[in-house]
Amino acid sequence: MSEAEFDLVIRNGRVVDGTRMPSFVGDVAVKDGMVVSRGKIAGKGREELDATGMIVAPGFVDIHTHYDAQVQWDPYCSQSCWHGITTVVMSLCGFGFAPCRPDDRERVMRRMTRVEAIPYQAMAQSMRWDWITQADYMDALNRMGLGINVSFYIPHSAVRAYVLGEDDRRKDVTPEELEQMKQLVRDGYRAGALGLSTDFSLIDRDADGGLLPSAAASMSEIEELLAIGREFNVGSVEVTPEDISLGEPEIKMLERFSELSGRPAIHTALFHSNHKPEAYKQALRHLEEANRRGHRVFALGGIVRIGSLFNLIEYNLFDDMPAWNRALACPLENRIENLRDPKIRAELQDDVDNYLVRVWSGRWDKLKVFESANKKYAGRWLDEIAQSEGKTPLNAFLDIALEENLETYFYIADLTSDDEYANAEVAAHPFVVPGVSDGGAHTQFLSMGKYPTVLLSDMVRDKKVMSLEEAHWRLSHMSASAIGLEGVGTLQPGMPADVVVYDMEKLGIATPEPVYEPVIGGGKRLIERAVGYRAIFVNGVMTFENDECTGKLPGRVLRTSAYDPEYNPSPLRLAAE
């Protein structure tokens, strides 16, 4: 038997290479973790996979996740890995775990418990904390072993916390403090990070319910940090505005941020909302106008209907409404007292009626009792319950919750992206990247990582919204290119062999609704697994076979061309030690 010429040959599949070129039936050869040849390949592979009747495509790139903590106990970053994603980007929205001083670790975990609903006990038991700077953190992950590729932004709130300590929500900073922040941003770029991420949204709150450090910062500080991007000319900047509807002020801000940094500006999330059903159309027009004016501005698009399962003991996705934030961001006994108060209830109703800069639609006909000890309520919608009891929906909602000390589980059916026609329009827009998985965050309440599987099975196979070639370009090469992540996203020779092989006819979600599974530390999370993936390869190594994990860890930290392996971290690292 002749010696194998390649490490792997995937044979006889329909190859969709991620460039939008027409697909073809043929082979893909891999050697040393890289794609080396495509077509009809005569040479043998040490490993061969028959992909007859299947799609062979580049692995997907998920550009908005918060796996910064979960990767410490789950090196595959599920759910993303189950849905063909081979690269994830972390430290979005201005928060992360690096840089971080040793004496600030507890506070950072408390912050992430509130802002992204990451279970505290899971972090307390699993975080290795063998890093201080962002470069340390990236190196630590490479040492730990990864089942997926990871890349990072430079988180603004973490930078502020490192310099200002517990005073990190102070608006004004001294010139010396600002210089220290700028040095940390430069350190992040030299570690290979993409660029600054920042967040002004009121739905994202600190452990005590107050503003995040990034939301408290002055615009002059933000602009000086963004301008450092011009020194490196890599990556992008990522922004979560206060109003994610992307109105005129927000698009002008993103244009300004792109101009200051010299790089693309990425808007965190654009999706259809039932309480502002036309807002997404305005947002799409604003993206077109910004790019027509010569700015590189992209939005991450919510393309999959998302519901939310929650109770009022831990839920933080009402924090973008001021009265709800005041009522709920407090110890449980105070929260119960607040929700009984008629005056506070009137303020909550006023927010629902008038405060539209929020995510939840406010539609009681789309909110139901999911799980309750009081069986007469289970499975019923709040508008119907309220009508039968002669109450307002808000009072019915709160009375049911208070009867069980807020342990009642409710389900919001239309948290985002409730209109399939709007989702299709968003998914096909030239300046929208599909995604918003928020992987690793809000896992008790949301399940959003399934978007690649839904895009391919629903929008491509069933509804014919776009071609197979277009969908794979968007899921891989467009996603990476929009944020300035170079060297991934296609199956062209010389690219990393991040590959998905799947059966289009069998592709789908394993369960009709999200289901709970336990997590380390005693918590639980909602999950939705995929079916139909024959194989997933990361850097030429199979990580999933027939939807089951192989246990191999071929992932790596992806860095930009600004990465300087010889660079010594700034003196601030020594000060922290």
Side-chain angles (χ1 to χ4, degrees), residues 130-168:
D130 52 348
W131 69 85
I132 293 176
T133 68
Q134 194 160 24
D136 295 339
Y137 181 60
M138 294 182 188
D139 292 343
L141 291 184
N142 270 334
R143 289 194 304 271
M144 180 191 79
L146 293 163
I148 199 166
N149 300 318
V150 300
S151 184
F152 292 89
Y153 279 97
I154 304 163
H156 186 191
S157 285
V159 167
R160 287 197 116 230
Y162 196 100
V163 174
L164 303 178
E166 294 188 5
D167 201 19
D168 56 6

Side-chain angles (χ1 to χ4, degrees), residues 8 69 86 101 128 142 170 246 304 369 422 469 472 558 570:
L8 167 69
T86 54
R101 295 176 182 270
R128 292 168 174 81
N142 270 334
R170 169 163 44 96
L246 202 59
V304 177
V369 179
E469 291 84 355
H472 278 289
L558 304 183
S570 69

Side-chain angles (χ1 to χ4, degrees), residues 58 67 69 108 128 151 216 235 282 305-306 344 356 373 387 410 421 432 471 484 551 560:
Y67 287 119
V108 171
R128 292 168 174 81
S151 184
Q282 172 187 267
R305 180 183 285 108
I306 297 298
I344 290 177
L356 300 183
Q387 185 176 25
F410 299 92
Y421 298 102
V432 174
T560 70

Side-chain angles (χ1 to χ4, degrees), residues 1-79:
M1 183 176 178
S2 60
E3 185 176 345
E5 184 178 350
F6 306 106
D7 296 329
L8 167 69
V9 179
I10 303 170
R11 295 199 183 274
N12 302 317
R14 177 160 291 279
V15 178
V16 187
D17 72 2
T19 67
R20 284 201 287 200
M21 290 296 289
S23 61
F24 62 92
V25 174
D27 313 327
V28 176
V30 174
K31 189 174 180 64
D32 297 328
M34 310 296 284
V35 176
V36 293
S37 186
R38 307 175 310 175
K40 296 297 183 181
I41 296 171
K44 301 294 184 182
R46 183 170 47 82
E47 178 183 358
E48 299 223 352
L49 180 70
D50 180 10
T52 301
M54 298 185 186
I55 307 298
V56 180
F60 313 135
V61 180
D62 186 347
I63 69 172
H64 190 113
T65 82
H66 295 284
Y67 287 119
D68 307 60
Q70 184 180 319
V71 71
Q72 296 281 310
W73 64 85
D74 172 15
Y76 296 92
C77 296
S78 60
Q79 308 186 56

Side-chain angles (χ1 to χ4, degrees), residues 477-489:
H477 186 57
M478 180 196 186
S479 296
S481 295
I483 64 170
L485 183 60
E486 300 173 351
V488 295

Side-chain angles (χ1 to χ4, degrees), residues 478-510:
M478 180 196 186
S479 296
S481 295
I483 64 170
L485 183 60
E486 300 173 351
V488 295
T490 77
L491 295 183
Q492 294 171 302
M495 296 291 274
D498 301 329
V499 188
V500 295
V501 181
Y502 65 90
D503 185 330
M504 179 61 99
E505 296 308 310
K506 295 180 180 178
L507 192 67
I509 308 303

Side-chain angles (χ1 to χ4, degrees), residues 233-273:
N233 193 33
V234 295
S236 54
V237 298
E238 184 266 344
V239 187
T240 305
E242 180 177 344
D243 185 353
I244 61 174
S245 297
L246 202 59
E248 190 70 29
E250 289 74 36
I251 199 69
K252 292 296 185 186
M253 179 182 71
L254 288 167
E255 289 182 22
R256 172 73 174 152
F257 287 3
S258 177
E259 180 67 26
L260 282 166
S261 65
R263 301 299 301 174
I266 311 300
H267 171 58
T268 286
L270 188 161
F271 45 74
H272 170 271
S273 300

